[in-house]
Amino acid sequence: MERRFWIEGFGRLKNAFMLEALTALLGIITSVISLLYTGNLQIEELSPEHLGYFITIAILGLILALTAIISWIFKILGWGSICKTNFKKFYCYTRLAIIILPIIGISMTMIAGFIIGLQLTVSGQQASPEEIAESVPATVKVIAVLGSIVASTGFVIEAISLFDISIIYSEPMLKIGSIVYITFLAASIFQQVLALPINVANAMGIIAAILIFLGLNKLKQKLMKEHEVITSEVV
């Protein structure tokens, strides 16, 4: 029974990281299109062609949001299955962290965004991104940054759990992937401080997700073969 939960959990987490790689790839495509075709455009410069690019970006953004949510759900289900093995309580805490912390963090970020939007609406001024950034109160910036940190903390805990599993099962690809995953999360939070382009963080995310996907897939196949051997011996 315990082995079945491991197999089930690894399978769900594998799906989650496959979708996470797709999400990061869509993020790169969206940012490249935005940078090349819609960056620094003024309202009076908009044309029907630019409208097409904005629609494309909006569609990609919607797909990106959907894949991110589905990936998150698979992670919750995956760690829920692993929690049922009763191997370590920390894996159950990981599931709780992935549920609670992203919700709190994203809520904080949305509140900060709402305050900024409200401020711009009240002022009625058209400003560049640089001017908007300078006009944002320090408190709002702190809320936004803390929101990103809180949301990412849940996935840092997940990366630690994956690293722990990689040691237990001696899976080097999963170990490397979990380390790259933590680096990716740190880069995502501090990319402005480190002056990293957003595509660099997303590229790290793709590498981490692929390594973790391959490592989990290898572990799942290994456990399934062991399960088949045990079943055949019993029969």
Side-chain angles (χ1 to χ4, degrees):
M1 182 66 72
E2 180 181 306
R3 189 181 299 273
R4 180 176 71 83
F5 288 135
W6 280 112
I7 294 171
E8 185 179 84
F10 289 157
R12 289 171 172 175
L13 289 178
K14 183 187 75 170
N15 293 337
F17 281 96
M18 178 182 66
L19 288 169
E20 189 159 309
L22 177 60
T23 301
L25 179 60
L26 288 172
I28 291 176
I29 295 172
T30 303
S31 63
V32 168
I33 293 175
S34 178
L35 181 64
L36 291 179
Y37 301 107
T38 64
N40 300 321
L41 274 177
Q42 301 298 321
I43 294 179
E44 59 272 12
E45 297 175 339
L46 293 178
S47 66
E49 182 183 2
H50 292 130
L51 180 61
Y53 292 131
F54 278 116
I55 292 174
T56 302
I57 291 171
I59 293 172
L60 288 174
L62 179 61
I63 297 172
L64 188 152
L66 287 174
T67 55
I69 292 171
I70 296 171
S71 173
W72 179 57
I73 292 171
F74 268 120
K75 288 186 176 189
I76 294 170
L77 295 174
W79 287 110
S81 296
I82 293 175
C83 174
K84 291 177 183 177
T85 63
N86 294 319
F87 186 75
K88 282 188 178 182
K89 280 290 184 183
F90 185 70
Y91 299 152
C92 299
Y93 299 146
T94 298
R95 177 178 177 272
L96 289 175
I98 288 177
I99 294 173
I100 297 171
L101 295 182
I103 292 176
I104 295 173
I106 292 172
S107 298
M108 292 172 67
T109 304
M110 289 177 66
I111 290 171
F114 175 76
I115 294 172
I116 294 171
L118 186 63
Q119 183 180 6
L120 291 175
T121 302
V122 172
S123 65
Q125 296 178 350
Q126 294 181 3
S128 65
E130 292 78 11
E131 291 172 336
I132 293 173
E134 291 177 359
S135 66
V136 174
T139 306
V140 177
K141 291 181 181 179
V142 170
I143 292 173
V145 172
L146 285 177
S148 297
I149 293 173
V150 170
S152 296
T153 300
F155 300 112
V156 170
I157 294 171
E158 177 186 40
I160 294 171
S161 290
L162 289 169
F163 184 80
D164 185 61
I165 290 173
S166 73
I167 294 174
I168 293 169
Y169 284 98
S170 300
E171 175 47 55
M173 198 171 297
L174 183 59
K175 182 183 293 185
I176 296 170
S178 60
I179 293 172
V180 177
Y181 190 38
I182 293 176
T183 308
F184 154 68
L185 292 168
S188 298
I189 297 171
F190 301 110
Q191 62 184 359
Q192 292 182 345
V193 177
L194 299 172
L196 287 173
I198 189 170
N199 286 343
V200 172
N202 280 332
M204 293 173 64
I206 292 174
I207 294 170
I210 291 174
L211 288 171
I212 293 172
F213 169 84
L214 293 174
L216 290 171
N217 185 60
K218 189 175 177 181
L219 286 179
K220 181 185 175 184
Q221 296 300 323
K222 178 182 176 182
L223 289 177
M224 287 179 67
K225 288 180 181 178
E226 291 176 357
H227 181 68
E228 289 174 1
V229 170
I230 294 171
T231 304
S232 62
E233 288 177 353
V234 171
V235 174

